[in-house]
Amino acid sequence: MNQEVKEVNAVTAHQMINKGALLVDIREWEEIEMIAFDMENRVMLPQSELANRFFELPADKEIIVGCHSGRRSLEVVRFLMLQNFRAVYSLEGGIDAWQEQGFPVKWDMCISEAVLQANHSS
């Protein structure tokens, strides 16, 4: 089976998530700690853990896979399609494109406080 990966832009992804699609952030924990998607229908499942945990994802729901720039999410979508996920999409441009559209993100407070403290002490 050689199906083509479906991509959605940030605007379409945001609309889909608001209608019930699940956003799966496949970036590694260190990346997620710096900046994260700020949506209710979101799970964090780093790509390094995917092979052992993909079964945790609902196969009957639309899934949008997001990463930093959109390259890793293409690989993950291909993998999920091989596992018989049908309604799975790659977020074109990743969290970078998401943020450029002004969609909600969360910044890690510990990192932000550390940066603020470092800036005040110099």
Side-chain angles (χ1 to χ4, degrees):
M1 172 191 332
N2 190 12
Q3 292 183 327
E4 192 167 325
V5 171
K6 295 174 265 184
E7 288 186 280
V8 292
N9 64 32
V11 172
T12 301
H14 190 264
Q15 293 168 344
M16 291 171 69
I17 294 162
N18 282 332
K19 292 179 181 173
L22 179 66
L23 173 62
V24 179
D25 189 345
I26 54 106
R27 295 173 304 136
E28 297 304 315
W29 292 113
E30 304 81 43
E31 296 173 275
I32 293 169
E33 287 174 359
M34 289 188 274
I35 184 171
F37 295 96
D38 190 12
M39 295 292 289
E40 260 185 54
N41 291 335
R42 163 188 56 101
V43 297
M44 291 159 283
L45 181 56
Q47 185 177 11
S48 62
E49 300 175 18
L50 188 72
N52 295 320
R53 295 183 52 206
F54 73 88
F55 59 88
E56 297 174 19
L57 299 174
D60 61 340
K61 194 171 195 173
E62 285 187 313
I63 294 175
I64 299 166
V65 179
C67 64
H68 182 78
S69 65
R71 272 185 268 145
R72 288 178 285 176
S73 60
L74 290 170
E75 294 174 30
V76 168
V77 167
R78 282 186 193 98
F79 171 80
L80 291 174
M81 289 170 67
L82 289 172
Q83 309 308 316
N84 294 319
F85 285 80
R86 295 288 168 244
V88 61
Y89 307 85
S90 175
L91 174 57
E92 186 178 31
I95 198 167
D96 287 345
W98 182 268
Q99 192 176 6
E100 284 173 18
Q101 288 295 323
F103 294 135
V105 293
K106 286 194 267 193
W107 296 89
D108 183 83
M109 294 309 294
C110 297
I111 292 173
S112 299
E113 289 171 14
V115 169
L116 288 174
Q117 289 174 357
N119 288 339
H120 288 311
S121 59
S122 50

